[in-house]
Amino acid sequence: MTILPLGRIRLFCTALGPAEGLPLLLVHGWGGDGREWSPHAEALADRFRVIVPDLRGHGRSEVPDRGNTPAEMADDLAALLGRFGTVPAVVVGHSMGGQVVNLLAVRHPALVHSVIALDPAHGAHGDEVTRIPVRLARYQAQGAEAAADFVAGAFAAGAPPGLRTAHVRTMLGTPDHVIAQAYAGMYTDPDAVGIRPHSEAYLRRRTQRALTVWTSAEAAAWERDTLHTPGSRVDHWPDSGHYLHEEHPERTVRLIRDWTAGEPRTESDPA
């Protein structure tokens, strides 16, 4: 576990598994940190070199006054992968992290072998879009306190005990200006890709095969119509809240293992 100076930012990061293993980057979402990937990282460290960062402004990473946006976060992760000296990575992201890893794939295609996005922060449309300005104004005025309300309502009824409380606590510990900047970076900044027409444009630029898992049937149907790279697919998990990877950690680990079964192996990988 260490804080890595990357030139552009200092990120807190952990790495598990064999140094020569297939690199697997696990990226948390808005107002979270890398701890949410702890069970997955331990389970996957037998085969993979599992890299788990805290995004800029989150967790134990550096907190800039400006630039706490998904695009900057994607460029941070490009520098992080370069620091590890890895071959192209399988990149996995949840929520805002799903947007970040897709931006990483578009902006730095040589670093990404394939993408897994779990309930990603793209494809907003209809009433959701009309609510964005009001939400942003609340986040700018109240910061993490307002964002914690969203988190509290984002879990399925059967979510593991303590999960909601843990995420509310982590969100409340995220600096207020990071909450507002990251939300604007997802949806309202000039280069934001969270609203559906902009999402479609940037997903068309992604050349790697990709797997997206949605908790919304409508969103899953929409994104299936955007797929253009052979081997890509969209799944729907109707029994899940927004934090699906933590509500179903074993299922998520199986998903990652199955998705990467055809990826290049190293000599240390189990047969």
Side-chain angles (χ1 to χ4, degrees), residues 130-155:
T130 64
R131 292 193 293 267
I132 286 172
V134 174
R135 287 177 174 172
L136 177 57
R138 284 193 66 209
Y139 300 145
Q140 290 171 333
Q142 302 173 31
E145 183 178 350
D149 293 340
F150 163 78
V151 171
F155 296 89

Side-chain angles (χ1 to χ4, degrees), residues 155-170:
F155 296 89
L163 191 57
R164 178 182 285 103
T165 299
H167 271 283
V168 168
R169 189 177 188 279
T170 304

Side-chain angles (χ1 to χ4, degrees), residues 26-51:
L26 302 178
V27 183
H28 67 82
W30 183 56
D33 63 34
R35 287 176 293 181
E36 65 193 58
W37 290 107
S38 297
H40 315 79
E42 289 187 359
L44 292 162
D46 59 342
R47 178 186 177 215
F48 299 93
R49 181 62 165 171
V50 186
I51 303 165

Side-chain angles (χ1 to χ4, degrees), residues 1-215:
M1 302 181 183
T2 187
I3 295 178
L4 295 176
L6 302 175
R8 53 182 291 113
I9 193 77
R10 292 183 301 132
L11 293 188
F12 179 75
C13 179
T14 60
L16 287 75
E20 65 274 22
L22 177 67
L24 177 69
L25 182 70
L26 302 178
V27 183
H28 67 82
W30 183 56
D33 63 34
R35 287 176 293 181
E36 65 193 58
W37 290 107
S38 297
H40 315 79
E42 289 187 359
L44 292 162
D46 59 342
R47 178 186 177 215
F48 299 93
R49 181 62 165 171
V50 186
I51 303 165
V52 187
D54 289 352
L55 295 170
R56 64 164 58 205
H58 293 72
R60 292 185 61 188
S61 287
E62 185 177 351
V63 183
D65 292 335
R66 295 179 169 275
N68 296 287
T69 65
E72 292 292 338
M73 293 169 186
D75 290 348
D76 293 344
L77 296 183
L80 178 66
L81 290 175
R83 180 68 177 268
F84 273 88
T86 58
V87 298
V90 176
V91 297
V92 184
H94 166 252
S95 191
M96 182 184 74
Q99 187 179 123
V100 171
V101 296
N102 273 304
L103 285 165
L104 175 64
V106 170
R107 295 164 73 94
H108 305 277
L111 297 176
V112 176
H113 194 282
S114 65
V115 177
I116 302 176
L118 306 174
D119 233 21
H122 63 226
H125 77 117
D127 290 343
E128 184 179 3
V129 173
T130 64
R131 292 193 293 267
I132 286 172
V134 174
R135 287 177 174 172
L136 177 57
R138 284 193 66 209
Y139 300 145
Q140 290 171 333
Q142 302 173 31
E145 183 178 350
D149 293 340
F150 163 78
V151 171
F155 296 89
L163 191 57
R164 178 182 285 103
T165 299
H167 271 283
V168 168
R169 189 177 188 279
T170 304
M171 179 65 82
L172 289 171
T174 306
D176 292 340
H177 73 284
V178 173
I179 294 298
Q181 288 177 20
Y183 189 82
M186 285 187 276
Y187 296 110
T188 65
D189 284 355
D191 60 349
V193 299
I195 293 175
R196 191 160 290 189
H198 304 298
S199 304
E200 292 173 348
Y202 101 101
L203 290 174
R204 282 196 297 269
R205 296 172 58 198
R206 185 184 61 198
T207 57
Q208 305 86 345
R209 73 185 187 105
L211 165 62
T212 305
V213 183
W214 284 103
T215 59

